[in-house]
Amino acid sequence: MACAAVVIPGLLRCSVGAIRTEAASLRLTLSTLRHLTLTSIMKSKRKTDHMERTASVVRREIVSAAKVCGAASESPSVKSLRLLVADQDFSFKAGQWVDFFIPGVSVVGGFSICSSPRLLEQERMIELAVKYTNHPPALWVHNTCTLDSEVAVRVGGEFFFDPQPADASRNLVLIAGGVGINPLLSILRHAADLLRERANKRSGYEIGTIKLFYSAKNTSELLFKKNILDLVNEFPEKIACSLHVTKQTTQISAELKPYITEGRITEKEIRDHISKETLFYICGPPPMTDFFSKQLENHHVSKEHICFEKWW
């Protein structure tokens, strides 16, 4: 019978090798795992509960033990986590999310991965960024989570960028609103890894240009600014960004100013990037994703070239 690894509250405060052994030994049958998931759904009364919203979305069967190895404040309302996932069967595609199981918390969280698959391959790490809300998993991340806290994660989602070496070259336009930057940062970082691989090995997928449009209330709420600008500076001929702020009340720093536009992302800005070779990835509040996906369709962009994820 197929099995899935799942965390059990216990002693995972040890080396990577020891964690791998522990994770491999913690196994539940799929029927038990389904009970865990259904119980979590029934105990949550939020209409926008992650498990309810994504009930029909494809998930992997494996639930893997993870340990919090780092945490940082990315903005006044967003906290990032770095998780060690030693289970070698755990993998993801850039843009996907995880079901986030917390011991003692009945509600399952749903958080997009913002790191690249390469970081997992090299260091067995993934990164998440969680906005403060009253939802129990988010409250746990902001108020209870500490270094060495133990959780479990399962990959899901149909929003991803995973080109194969022989695939046709594509340009990417990434459109993010608020914390919707998370899966798009994963895609941006993956694109950068593909560019490095192409430059170093002269092989692998040949990606086109990448343009990120990212909107937030103000510059303090623009997450991962330094990471984004570092990639723009590393690949100036391939990666560009346009950072938008809608309610800025303080002076914008000299470093950020060349990249900042005050006001919302406009339909014209996106329209200027339409081509048959371009894929559009959109993640943000539902009204934003609805607006841009509809505008792209109105300009005859193939639905197969429009990928979006609505994040509540």
Side-chain angles (χ1 to χ4, degrees):
M1 180 181 290
C3 296
V6 65
V7 69
I8 296 174
L11 301 176
L12 286 185
R13 295 177 178 82
C14 46
S15 67
V16 174
I19 292 173
R20 184 177 296 118
T21 302
E22 187 85 13
S25 66
L26 300 177
R27 297 277 163 175
L28 292 180
T29 66
L30 283 179
S31 60
T32 306
L33 178 58
R34 290 191 191 100
H35 175 72
L36 170 66
T37 302
L38 289 172
T39 300
S40 298
I41 291 174
M42 290 187 291
K43 287 184 178 179
S44 176
K45 296 181 180 179
R46 294 180 85 229
K47 291 182 180 179
T48 56
D49 179 80
H50 165 70
M51 298 300 290
E52 293 176 345
R53 289 199 317 270
T54 62
S56 63
V57 178
V58 174
R59 287 170 161 81
R60 297 196 65 192
E61 293 183 342
I62 293 172
V63 179
S64 300
K67 184 173 77 167
V68 177
C69 291
S73 294
E74 297 296 335
S75 81
S77 63
V78 176
K79 182 177 180 179
S80 64
L81 297 181
R82 177 170 275 219
L83 303 178
L84 174 65
V85 188
D87 185 351
Q88 294 294 319
D89 291 328
F90 179 89
S91 65
F92 74 97
K93 299 172 183 177
Q96 290 186 301
W97 40 256
V98 291
D99 295 328
F100 194 78
F101 300 92
I102 306 164
V105 178
S106 63
V107 181
V108 178
F111 305 130
S112 290
I113 301 169
C114 55
S115 52
S116 72
R118 189 67 51 87
L119 180 66
L120 179 66
E121 293 168 7
Q122 295 178 343
E123 301 182 31
R124 301 310 306 168
M125 296 282 183
I126 63 170
E127 294 176 355
L128 311 175
V130 180
K131 187 176 179 68
Y132 181 89
T133 69
N134 288 326
H135 197 221
L139 284 175
W140 181 88
V141 168
H142 281 264
N143 299 336
T144 305
C145 175
T146 62
L147 291 181
D148 293 338
S149 287
E150 299 155 13
V151 295
V153 288
R154 174 176 56 192
V155 171
E158 297 157 358
F159 179 87
F160 57 81
F161 177 62
D162 184 40
Q164 301 306 301
D167 288 350
S169 180
R170 299 291 187 189
N171 304 318
L172 300 182
V173 171
L174 312 176
I175 307 170
V179 77
I181 187 62
N182 287 346
L184 300 184
L185 181 63
S186 178
I187 291 173
L188 182 65
R189 285 169 160 169
H190 184 48
D193 286 334
L194 293 172
L195 287 168
R196 295 184 189 105
E197 181 180 23
R198 188 78 183 181
N200 295 333
K201 299 181 180 179
R202 304 294 177 186
S203 63
Y205 178 71
E206 184 174 3
I207 195 169
T209 60
I210 305 102
K211 180 64 181 274
L212 170 67
F213 293 93
Y214 177 20
S215 177
K217 183 171 66 174
N218 53 53
T219 53
S220 68
E221 293 291 345
L222 286 168
L223 308 179
F224 306 108
K225 295 181 289 290
K226 183 180 185 305
N227 303 99
I228 292 167
L229 295 185
D230 284 348
L231 294 179
V232 170
N233 292 326
E234 183 179 355
F235 301 102
E237 296 180 359
K238 285 287 192 177
I239 299 177
C241 73
S242 177
L243 306 177
H244 288 244
V245 290
T246 57
K247 295 181 180 179
Q248 185 73 20
T249 58
T250 59
Q251 187 173 356
I252 298 170
S253 70
E255 180 187 20
L256 278 180
K257 206 161 189 177
Y259 306 96
I260 295 289
T261 298
E262 296 201 45
R264 298 184 184 278
I265 303 167
T266 66
E267 179 263 341
K268 182 183 182 303
E269 289 177 285
I270 306 304
R271 188 175 68 235
D272 290 343
H273 290 271
I274 292 175
S275 76
K276 292 181 179 179
E277 295 76 35
T278 300
L279 303 178
F280 294 85
Y281 286 83
I282 313 164
C283 187
M288 176 185 176
T289 58
D290 289 342
F291 174 79
F292 284 115
S293 58
K294 184 64 176 176
Q295 290 297 319
L296 290 168
E297 286 183 33
N298 289 344
H299 287 91
H300 309 294
V301 176
S302 168
K303 288 186 177 182
E304 288 72 29
H305 286 189
I306 306 170
C307 308
F308 61 86
E309 182 131 281
K310 300 176 183 179
W311 215 240
W312 280 254

